[in-house]
Structure formats: C-alpha cells, structure tokens
Amino acid sequence: MEASELPPGAITGAVLLYSRPEPLTPELHNKLGVKRMDNPFAFAADQHLLPLTVTEFQPAALNYPIIFVGDEQTPVAVMGLKEGENLFLSKTGVHDAEYYMPAYVRRYPFVFANDQTSDRMILCIDRGASVLDENGGDVALFDGNEPSEFTKGAMEFCREFESERRRTEDFIKLLKDLDLFEVKQAMFTPRLPDGQAGEPQMLAEYFAVSEDKLSKLPLEKIQELFANGALQQIYAHLMSLLNWERLLARAVSRAPVAANA
C-alpha cells in the first residue's frame, strides 16, 4: 500500500500514546519531516504498562514482568509500579539502552488504522508527535508525491507489527481456549525500621498463565504447543515474573533520587 493512495481525513477511536492520528497523504503532509532527537521516547515516559506482541516475549522477559491485562488479556511489559511512572525512561525521555523497548513504542509516530469502508489498512501519523517538523525536519516523509525511503521503511515496520499483532491475538485465543489463565497478585513485604517484617502489600493484580493448569494438559496438547512455538513464549512469560523483585528494587533505588530532586 502506497501512502500516496491513502485518503485524507481524521480517523476515529483512541490509540494509546497517539493524540492526533490522521491518514498520511502527500496533500496534507508533503512538507512534513522528522527531527533527530536525543530523547525520541519521551512521549512514553509516563506509561507504566506498554503493549507487547508475542514474539517480543523472549527479549522483554530479560527486563520486565510480562503480564496480561483487561478483558482481552492484552500482554504488556510492566515498566513501573504505578500509573504515570516509567522506571526505564526518565521524565525527559532518556532511555536506558540496556533495556528492550517494545515495538509498539518504536513504530511511533506511525500506526495502521482500519478503513472499514474499503476493508484495508491505512497508514496514519500522529500529528501531535514532538518528533515531527512542519518545515521538513532532518528526514522528509515524502519525495515529491511519493513516500520517502524513510516512510517506506516505517510502512514496512508497521506491516510487520500488524502481522505480529494478529499472531498475538491467535496466541491469546489459544490460551483462553485451553483455560490456562488465572488471576495472580504481585506482593512484597516491607521491612520496618526495627528490622521486622511489615504488612504485605500488593503491587499488582493481573492475569498470568497457570503453571498448575499447564502441567495438567494432555501430552498431545503440550506437544502441539511446543510445535507451534507457543510453549516457548509461555515459559518466557512465566520466567519474566521473576522480574517483579528487580522492578521493586529499581523503584526503591530511584526513590531517593526523586526525593532529592
């Protein structure tokens, strides 16, 4: 799909992190470009949960708890312990390069939207993105009336993301069909000044794969999960839950810095 083929006009529906998404067209965006920025992820600095696709589970599991949330059991990376807090992005958007950044964030400010009138995907851009420059920026979005090489690359990345998103929906449906989800809680026990254990506190309540339910599946189902790659992703999710302790330690270590600031 070429960007030059897309119709003008705003799209409907809310998209996490996107404030003003609209279809990308040469008529409206011919002079638009992207600025090179030292903090391109600043827009996500107050997001404590970021969506993941299933093929991201293994790299993300090295850094964050991967949990499932909401009625749809959407998989997310936990990047903070409370709303408005991202422990891996500073308030100015500086990203610790040692940690994996979800593709949902890396595709920004581009996104595909459904065109229900023609049953196709429309490439959109968030006009509210600070990385955009109305005067061409450092990298142009169009070369004449044709998408620039940069835009073509962004379109391909968004295509791949949509493919992985659909794959993730199939993965979630499989887990639901096998009744593998359970509600879990992440807890921690604070230490009082006298060294005694305080009252346990809940960090989060979420959906996770039940190890007990998984262990009781028939052998042929386990083999099927292994063959289609789902079992590897399930174990990546389960291993990622060990990161709750590391996440709490990161929050505690940053608290004095915030207090001094």
Side-chain angles (χ1 to χ4, degrees):
M1 180 195 309
E2 294 296 329
S4 57
E5 299 174 353
L6 303 181
I11 64 172
T12 59
V15 185
L16 178 67
L17 299 178
Y18 292 75
S19 61
R20 292 169 52 203
E22 60 185 43
L24 182 66
T25 70
E27 291 81 12
L28 293 177
H29 309 116
N30 190 272
K31 298 184 182 302
L32 205 61
V34 173
K35 298 178 290 188
R36 291 187 175 91
M37 301 178 67
D38 294 331
N39 54 346
F41 303 132
F43 63 93
D46 60 354
Q47 293 294 321
H48 72 303
L49 302 177
L50 287 173
L52 287 173
T53 62
V54 66
T55 51
E56 297 180 277
F57 279 20
Q58 292 181 8
L62 298 175
N63 306 139
Y64 321 110
I66 298 170
I67 64 174
F68 300 87
V69 299
D71 294 338
E72 302 300 320
Q73 278 84 57
T74 302
V76 295
V78 183
M79 304 183 77
L81 297 177
K82 59 186 178 181
E83 290 187 17
E85 170 191 77
N86 189 318
L87 296 171
F88 300 89
L89 283 171
S90 72
K91 286 300 181 183
T92 58
V94 177
H95 171 232
D96 191 332
E98 292 183 8
Y99 295 89
Y100 179 78
M101 181 58 66
Y104 187 97
V105 173
R106 288 184 282 117
R107 70 174 178 169
Y108 188 84
F110 298 93
V111 63
F112 268 137
N114 284 313
D115 181 359
Q116 297 182 355
T117 60
S118 59
D119 191 29
R120 63 172 179 166
M121 301 299 293
I122 301 176
L123 184 68
C124 300
I125 196 164
D126 185 3
R127 283 299 289 269
S130 60
V131 73
L132 296 181
D133 188 336
E134 300 289 341
N135 297 313
D138 297 303
V139 182
L141 296 186
F142 286 93
D143 183 5
N145 285 327
E146 296 298 320
S148 67
E149 291 302 313
F150 173 81
T151 301
K152 290 178 182 177
M155 292 170 69
E156 183 59 30
F157 188 91
C158 287
R159 284 194 189 97
E160 292 175 0
F161 182 87
E162 283 303 308
S163 176
E164 294 302 328
R165 185 184 63 79
R166 290 190 292 270
R167 195 170 174 181
T168 302
E169 289 177 348
D170 292 340
F171 175 75
I172 299 302
K173 183 179 184 303
L174 177 62
L175 298 186
K176 287 181 177 180
D177 290 346
L178 294 174
D179 189 29
L180 289 180
F181 282 120
E182 67 175 354
V183 176
K184 295 190 73 170
Q185 294 178 338
M187 307 290 296
F188 88 102
T189 303
R191 289 290 172 183
L192 301 177
D194 61 4
Q196 298 296 313
E199 286 292 323
Q201 298 182 27
M202 184 173 69
L203 297 175
E205 186 173 81
Y206 57 93
F207 292 103
V209 171
S210 166
E211 293 184 69
D212 182 57
K213 290 182 178 181
L214 182 64
S215 68
K216 293 178 180 177
L217 286 178
L219 179 58
E220 61 269 20
K221 281 295 180 184
I222 295 292
Q223 291 173 333
E224 181 182 323
L225 291 174
F226 177 79
N228 63 24
L231 191 61
Q232 294 92 314
Q233 308 299 0
I234 289 172
Y235 280 126
H237 150 65
L238 292 173
M239 290 296 294
S240 81
L241 299 181
L242 298 175
N243 287 321
W244 281 113
E245 187 173 339
R246 295 175 61 192
L247 190 65
L248 178 61
R250 191 174 181 89
V252 170
S253 67
R254 284 184 56 161
V257 176
N260 291 335

